[in-house]
Amino acid sequence: MPNKNKLLLVDGNSVAFRAFFALYQSLSRFKNSSGLHTNAIYAFHNMMGNIMDKEQPTHVLVAFDAGKTTFRHETFEEYKAGRSKTPSEFKEQMPYIREMCLALGIQYYELENYEADDIIGTLAKHVSKEEFDVVVLSGDKDLTQLADDHIRVEVTVKGVSELESYTPEHIREKYGLEPMQIVDMKGLAGDSSDNLPGVTGIGEKTAITLLKEYGSVEGVYDHIDEMKKSKRKENLINDKENALMSKELATINIEAPITITVDDLKYEGKDTEKLVALYKEMDFKTFLSKLDTGDYHDVSDELEEIIYEVVTEPTADMFEPGMSVYLEMLEDNYHLADIIGVTWGNEGKRYVAIGDEILSHEAMITWLEDDTLTKATYDAKAHIVALNRYGIQVKGVTFDSLLAAYLLDTNDKSEDLAEVAYHYDYKAIETDEKIYGKGAKRGVPEDEILTDHLARKVATLNYLAPVLKAHLAEKNQEKLFYDMELPLSFVLAKMEIQGIRVNAQTLMTMQQEFAVILTEIESRIYEMAGEEFNINSPKQLGVILFEKMQLPVIKKTKTGYSTAVDVLEQLKDQAPIVEEILHYRQIAKIQSTYVEGLLKVINPNDNKIHTRYVQTLTQTGRLSSVDPNLQNIPIRLEEGRKIRQAFIPREEGWEIFSSDYSQIELRVLADISQDEHLRQAFIEDQDIHTSTAMRVFDIANPDDVDGNIRRQAKAVNFGVVYGISDYGLSQNLGITRKEAKDFIDTYFEKYPGVKTYMKEIVREAKEQGYVETLWHRRRYLPDINSRNFNVRSFAERTAINTPIQGSAADILKLAMIEIDQRLEKEQLQATMLLQVHDELVFEAPSEEIPALEALVKDVMENIGTFSVPLKADSSFGPTWYEAK
DNA sequence: CATCTCACG
DNA sequence: ACGTACGTGAGATGT
């Protein structure tokens, strides 16, 4: 039927509750000027916006629960008892959520003695199927029982945007039940959130099995005599009353005496006037600006005027020690981005220059290059690299707010200055997105807007520096900042500027060879498949393998069949095409990501690749490398490893030299756990995986540790570092969970110090809400006390892994700083080029190699003081391929 | 712009 | 019973 109507019914209470917890983390940040919490209002607004956009309903209603008691309480006094008290921060927002509905042009309704579910059920089941499709939005699954051919139930999964669609098919697939049977399942299994008792000892799984056989709760009892004598049968008989009552309570009443009809619910658009008023009351500035009513400027104008001077001819008196300085670039690749403005100043004076012309003035250059004229920045590394293009060597940076903010809270990783400032209660600046726009619209605004924004940036930096310094001191992170991250950023800047030379010819030759191979494999695959298709498309490949060729489905993804390596590995023996696909994938990856990807980013001026290290991203303190990523160049498989042949020294007669830490993470673990056996193994310089194998598998002679046993021990060692779980280990080793669990138990028995460490660090995380590395790098773990098993478990593994991975990262960072100093002091030409987590790559004249080798080894092995030795191995050769 | 897959430590 | 190994970045596909 053309133009069929669509009715959207929202379970207001449960969606609001979900909204509240979706932004629970940000509770303290969402407060309006009168102190009202607004996180649930904000998230509710977004959820409604999302579903309205997606569904485009013609009719909408939000239903709310009316009061504390309903007809269900007459049946069962304890209904919904035992729920933890609704937080007051949530309760205070409910009236505004109702108001928000009206402002959005959406009716809301509640009915004495009934729940929102009943209102929704009644409307959904009574509208004409010919005229209406119905979509129900809820925060819990109770409503899924309503699903039928015309009613789809959307349940919020997590966050504000993700939904799970419950159609009758989906319910059949997920539970093997019809929607109607959901209430039978609750009857048998109960529901702890509503305090429905169900039958003792029966959970969801058992309930489903029973229902598949008997159809309903009543069906189960009709056939109860046929069941074998068992504890379960006994429980069923004893709890019959409970089962029937639970089912009754879980059943939505579709005959609620509602006084509205669907005709009252027609959606006629937002009430802009009400919305503006409400947004203002809630301090929702971004929503206001999006409304585009002209009202936004009222808010914007609330920013106090900022005083600054626009400079074209800088003079020496404009520069003083202790000023902040900021260069504006609109693209993130600062190796190439245009500088569209420069600003500097202190509390008293602020200066702004448009464009980059100012950078050719002597007074400016002298100031930037003067070590004694200290300055504070926001992303010093970007500034140093960008200014290097102008021949300016920036010196005297003594503080950086971006780095400091990252150390203070790695979760808060916005790069936008306004957002960071907001976090520290500074509001006199707009976000870059607001000023410059985003996507295709991004661009340089008119002069006055630009200079105003830049002046605000320098003002913000002046505000932030003392605030952040105080926080660093409070968290005992001053050394981490001043002796590690800040000096490291200068070293990284040098490495990025230096770049690494790449032989494009080598890559182009490979490109030709791989192209031929790919065509060959392709045609073989098409022949075996009996048709041509896009091998790169998991979707199309899935159809060929699992539908056309009928191979067994081993794993599914959210959207279809999984065709990942571990799945294909298992199918290899069943069809020859699988091996070809694996080969194709391997070569295609090398070709597109590495051969073609790297060719695209070679700078034609110097034949080098200049990556950028992101110093303020990872949760553990590692670096990341982008544009391109030089930390994931292939090595494990020979075909890919050849890519490294293209990485060469910048001069004839030079070598690529590489040095990496041996087992740095396990050594760190040995040190922080103080496990005597693990420590001893390193002190005696044993092969650690062999040593683990001997202890765990009780083998006396190292010669008796064969390859397979060592491989298993290695996996266990990895598991330990990652926060081991039996399932993870079983997956990795292809063994059963029981076997994996036995390995782990034995490991903990043989390495009791490690076990104690894990228990202690998790306990500490639960108590403090964060964990730390040896250098006080901090990671907050907001989920560590979550009631959700999965979420909590993840946080626990993170608590175990982060101090290990993070301390190892700290160690290499310190080594880099010292190596940089030593290379300078000893006046070597050798240059540090790359960092790959536990490896450093250099280039050096052949004759310097022995000196470099000694220097690097000395620094790497003697950084810090540990109860186990650190060990670094090195090698060198004409390309990176040989240097390993 | 999200999803899947796969490269590295 | 729960459904997972820790940390990253990038290319190709398809909505």
Side-chain angles (χ1 to χ4, degrees):
Chain A
M1 177 188 263
N3 301 326
K4 195 170 178 185
N5 287 311
K6 190 188 261 189
L7 170 63
L8 172 65
L9 297 167
V10 179
D11 178 353
N13 292 75
S14 77
V15 171
F17 205 61
R18 280 305 189 104
F20 178 70
F21 282 106
L23 288 182
Y24 191 64
Q25 238 33 74
S26 318
L27 184 60
S28 56
R29 270 193 288 144
F30 279 92
K31 257 193 194 177
N32 74 357
S33 50
S34 41
L36 172 80
H37 289 93
T38 57
N39 67 323
I41 305 168
Y42 184 93
F44 184 86
H45 173 278
N46 283 351
M47 287 169 160
M48 287 305 296
N50 285 341
I51 192 132
M52 292 291 287
D53 283 353
K54 205 172 119 203
E55 302 292 347
Q56 304 276 332
T58 54
H59 296 68
V60 194
L61 177 77
V62 178
F64 289 103
D65 299 338
K68 277 199 181 121
T69 58
T70 67
F71 69 89
R72 290 186 174 83
H73 291 89
E74 291 163 22
T75 316
F76 182 44
E77 261 180 52
E78 296 293 297
Y79 181 67
K80 292 199 175 176
R83 279 195 175 184
S84 42
K85 237 171 98 201
T86 337
S88 64
E89 295 91 341
F90 174 62
K91 257 192 229 160
E92 68 185 27
Q93 301 185 56
M94 279 310 289
Y96 296 93
I97 287 176
R98 285 167 208 244
E99 215 174 298
M100 177 65 78
C101 291
L102 296 184
L104 290 169
I106 296 169
Q107 305 286 321
Y108 71 83
Y109 185 71
E110 55 200 47
L111 182 61
E112 193 67 30
N113 221 13
Y114 288 83
E115 292 184 49
D117 290 7
D118 304 313
I119 301 169
I120 291 172
T122 305
L123 275 164
K125 291 289 183 187
H126 285 281
V127 293
S128 146
K129 289 183 176 180
E130 283 67 41
E131 286 175 50
F132 282 94
D133 281 329
V134 180
V135 178
V136 175
L137 174 67
S138 177
D140 58 49
K141 295 178 192 158
D142 293 353
L143 280 157
T144 57
Q145 59 183 278
L146 296 175
D148 68 20
D149 291 349
H150 305 272
I151 304 175
R152 165 161 52 89
V153 183
E154 298 283 343
V155 178
T156 58
V157 180
K158 58 172 184 192
V160 293
S161 57
E162 210 175 308
L163 299 174
E164 186 172 357
S165 276
Y166 285 82
T167 57
E169 299 84 63
H170 183 67
I171 293 169
R172 264 173 233 135
E173 209 175 294
K174 187 163 175 164
Y175 300 111
L177 298 178
E178 291 301 311
M180 304 272 294
Q181 291 175 298
I182 299 272
V183 293
D184 294 283
M185 181 169 87
K186 293 212 171 184
L188 293 172
D191 181 341
S192 57
S193 71
D194 290 346
N195 201 32
L196 301 181
V199 176
T200 315
I202 292 189
E204 240 181 49
K205 291 278 147 93
T206 322
I208 290 169
T209 324
L210 286 169
L211 290 172
K212 279 188 182 158
E213 191 164 354
Y214 303 109
S216 66
V217 173
E218 291 77 8
V220 169
Y221 287 104
D222 286 346
H223 294 89
I224 190 95
D225 299 332
E226 301 160 20
M227 289 183 200
K228 281 190 299 212
K229 186 168 185 294
S230 68
K231 189 75 196 161
R232 181 186 294 165
K233 180 174 177 179
E234 215 174 282
N235 286 332
L236 278 166
I237 294 170
N238 288 339
D239 291 346
K240 184 170 179 182
E241 290 276 297
N242 278 344
L244 291 170
M245 178 188 73
S246 296
K247 175 174 174 177
E248 186 192 331
L249 291 171
T251 305
I252 288 172
N253 182 340
I254 59 164
E255 300 296 344
I258 54 172
T259 56
I260 41 162
T261 68
V262 69
D263 297 327
D264 305 327
L265 305 180
K266 200 150 174 33
Y267 176 66
E268 279 162 343
K270 303 172 175 177
D271 183 336
T272 313
E273 219 171 286
K274 266 201 187 116
L275 261 187
V276 169
L278 194 58
Y279 285 167
K280 279 189 182 170
E281 192 182 349
M282 298 299 120
D283 291 341
F284 289 164
K285 290 190 195 174
T286 36
F287 290 159
L288 256 186
S289 66
K290 278 184 194 144
L291 266 184
D292 219 17
T293 54
D295 275 75
Y296 183 68
H297 282 290
D298 297 352
V299 178
S300 179
D301 290 347
E302 282 169 22
L303 289 186
E304 235 177 90
E305 203 187 325
I306 185 155
I307 295 167
Y308 60 92
E309 184 180 330
V310 177
V311 180
T312 49
E313 294 286 335
T315 50
D317 62 314
M318 293 178 182
F319 302 99
E320 293 170 28
M323 282 180 157
S324 295
V325 57
Y326 183 83
L327 300 176
E328 191 71 300
M329 293 177 267
L330 294 194
E331 290 131 60
D332 29 340
N333 189 343
Y334 45 71
H335 288 296
L336 306 168
D338 288 333
I339 294 172
I340 63 160
V342 182
T343 182
W344 69 98
N346 54 23
E347 287 303 322
K349 285 249 175 179
R350 299 180 198 100
Y351 303 96
V352 180
I354 298 171
D356 61 355
E357 202 269 334
I358 194 93
L359 296 171
S360 59
H361 288 82
E362 214 39 55
M364 184 87 206
I365 298 171
T366 309
W367 175 61
L368 286 169
E369 295 194 330
D370 191 331
D371 205 4
T372 62
L373 297 174
T374 59
K375 30 204 112 44
T377 53
Y378 188 76
D379 198 353
K381 178 159 65 67
H383 286 60
I384 295 168
V385 173
L387 288 171
N388 178 69
R389 300 188 334 237
Y390 294 78
I392 300 173
Q393 319 300 317
V394 181
K395 292 276 150 54
V397 175
T398 54
F399 192 75
D400 189 278
S401 292
L402 178 65
L403 277 178
Y406 164 70
L407 293 184
L408 290 169
D409 188 351
T410 52
N411 283 323
D412 167 39
K413 52 178 167 195
S414 172
E415 278 169 48
D416 191 285
L417 180 56
E419 286 177 39
V420 173
Y422 195 83
H423 194 108
Y424 293 95
D425 299 322
Y426 185 86
K427 296 172 186 172
I429 182 168
E430 303 282 4
T431 61
D432 284 346
E433 195 179 304
K434 176 81 187 85
I435 302 295
Y436 303 122
K438 66 168 172 180
K441 284 193 202 144
R442 194 166 166 91
V444 185
E446 50 185 278
D447 284 0
E448 208 172 310
I449 295 179
L450 176 64
T451 53
D452 184 87
H453 187 54
L454 291 182
R456 287 181 192 284
K457 286 207 167 176
V458 95
T460 307
L461 291 179
N462 288 325
Y463 166 87
L464 276 179
V467 175
L468 297 177
K469 282 175 187 172
H471 278 96
L472 286 171
E474 185 203 326
K475 295 183 175 177
N476 206 0
Q477 291 182 312
E478 287 173 308
K479 277 196 148 161
L480 179 66
F481 180 83
Y482 290 106
D483 298 344
M484 190 186 299
E485 295 299 341
L486 189 62
L488 179 73
S489 71
F490 308 145
V491 176
L492 292 173
K494 269 202 222 174
M495 294 163 64
E496 294 178 6
I497 291 167
Q498 184 64 47
I500 184 163
R501 185 150 169 223
V502 173
N503 187 341
Q505 196 49 55
T506 310
L507 291 176
M508 275 149 56
T509 310
M510 293 177 84
Q511 188 178 28
Q512 307 257 312
E513 289 167 6
F514 285 136
V516 174
I517 298 175
L518 283 173
T519 323
E520 283 170 9
I521 306 177
E522 223 173 78
S523 54
R524 283 204 294 276
I525 290 176
Y526 294 155
E527 198 180 322
M528 293 186 209
E531 66 181 286
E532 298 203 355
F533 64 101
N534 189 340
I535 309 171
N536 287 317
S537 161
K539 197 177 166 197
Q540 296 182 33
L541 180 61
V543 173
I544 298 285
L545 293 180
F546 304 111
E547 289 176 18
K548 188 167 181 184
M549 304 187 66
Q550 288 288 312
L551 293 173
V553 178
I554 290 173
K555 203 164 75 181
K556 282 195 150 194
T557 66
K558 246 187 274 177
T559 51
Y561 313 108
S562 168
T563 64
V565 247
D566 57 319
V567 172
L568 297 187
E569 289 290 343
Q570 292 178 60
L571 297 171
K572 239 179 2 193
D573 303 331
Q574 305 195 33
I577 192 173
V578 176
E579 191 119 27
E580 297 285 354
I581 288 164
L582 283 167
H583 195 203
Y584 178 89
R585 280 251 181 93
Q586 193 203 326
I587 305 294
K589 171 82 179 179
I590 300 168
Q591 181 78 314
S592 64
T593 307
Y594 298 104
V595 178
E596 287 166 356
L598 290 176
L599 278 170
K600 267 185 237 161
V601 291
I602 298 175
N603 183 327
N605 299 321
D606 57 8
N607 295 315
K608 285 177 172 181
I609 288 181
H610 302 264
T611 185
R612 277 149 43 228
Y613 290 102
V614 186
Q615 202 182 344
T616 54
L617 182 141
T618 70
Q619 299 294 319
T620 54
R622 277 190 175 180
L623 302 174
S624 89
S625 157
V626 293
D627 239 8
N629 181 356
L630 292 183
Q631 291 180 321
N632 71 345
I633 302 301
I635 188 163
R636 291 172 194 171
L637 298 170
E638 179 56 27
E639 272 158 311
R641 190 175 194 160
K642 292 222 158 64
I643 293 289
R644 293 178 176 232
Q645 292 171 339
F647 289 80
I648 56 176
R650 68 174 193 261
E651 308 270 358
E652 284 289 315
W654 285 40
E655 311 274 356
I656 296 289
F657 173 88
S658 161
S659 181
D660 68 300
Y661 273 119
S662 156
Q663 304 299 348
I664 181 81
E665 292 190 344
L666 284 171
R667 287 172 197 263
V668 166
L669 174 62
D671 184 74
I672 56 186
S673 73
Q674 284 294 306
D675 182 280
E676 52 175 315
H677 304 293
L678 200 54
R679 278 185 50 214
Q680 204 55 36
F682 285 120
I683 289 167
E684 290 167 14
D685 198 23
Q686 294 170 10
D687 176 304
I688 192 62
H689 303 316
T690 305
S691 162
T692 302
M694 287 168 66
R695 282 192 70 76
V696 171
F697 300 111
D698 209 12
I699 299 169
N701 187 339
D703 298 336
D704 294 339
V705 177
D706 67 29
N708 192 42
I709 292 184
R710 185 175 179 282
R711 186 181 64 88
Q712 300 203 349
K714 186 174 173 180
V716 173
N717 279 333
F718 268 92
V720 167
V721 170
Y722 295 155
I724 201 154
S725 77
D726 50 7
Y727 184 86
L729 184 64
S730 73
Q731 285 289 298
N732 190 296
L733 281 175
I735 57 178
T736 68
R737 241 171 104 161
K738 171 82 174 64
E739 290 167 326
K741 188 173 181 314
D742 289 344
F743 282 6
I744 294 166
D745 289 345
T746 319
Y747 182 91
F748 283 144
E749 215 174 279
K750 301 285 183 169
Y751 295 92
V754 174
K755 186 177 186 181
T756 309
Y757 160 73
M758 291 187 171
K759 279 208 329 234
E760 274 304 298
I761 195 77
V762 169
R763 191 193 57 74
E764 192 183 308
K766 285 184 197 292
E767 204 173 284
Q768 306 179 332
Y770 62 85
V771 290
E772 281 187 339
T773 67
L774 290 171
W775 277 267
H776 303 296
R777 185 187 303 284
R778 207 176 261 209
R779 179 174 187 176
Y780 289 93
L781 298 167
D783 294 333
I784 195 79
N785 290 314
S786 165
R787 273 94 43 220
N788 181 316
F789 175 88
N790 283 323
V791 173
R792 187 179 61 246
S793 303
F794 186 34
E796 288 172 359
R797 293 197 294 273
T798 310
I800 292 168
N801 174 263
T802 297
I804 302 172
Q805 191 184 117
S807 299
D810 292 345
I811 290 170
L812 192 58
K813 283 180 169 180
L814 289 174
M816 290 171 74
I817 294 164
E818 190 165 338
I819 288 171
D820 178 68
Q821 290 169 354
R822 290 271 300 269
L823 287 176
E824 225 162 80
K825 197 175 114 209
E826 298 180 22
Q827 299 201 341
L828 291 172
Q829 288 177 272
T831 321
M832 206 184 326
L833 301 177
L834 304 175
Q835 190 256 38
V836 194
H837 309 309
D838 64 357
E839 173 192 8
L840 295 173
V841 178
F842 302 79
E843 62 188 356
S846 298
E847 62 275 15
E848 279 188 12
I849 292 290
L852 180 64
E853 196 166 4
L855 184 158
V856 170
K857 191 175 177 65
D858 179 41
V859 175
M860 285 176 79
E861 295 190 347
N862 294 304
I863 207 86
T865 324
F866 302 96
S867 58
V868 289
L870 297 182
K871 191 177 169 193
D873 301 314
S874 67
S875 57
F876 65 93
T879 78
W880 194 7
Y881 178 86
E882 288 86 2
K884 186 73 189 193

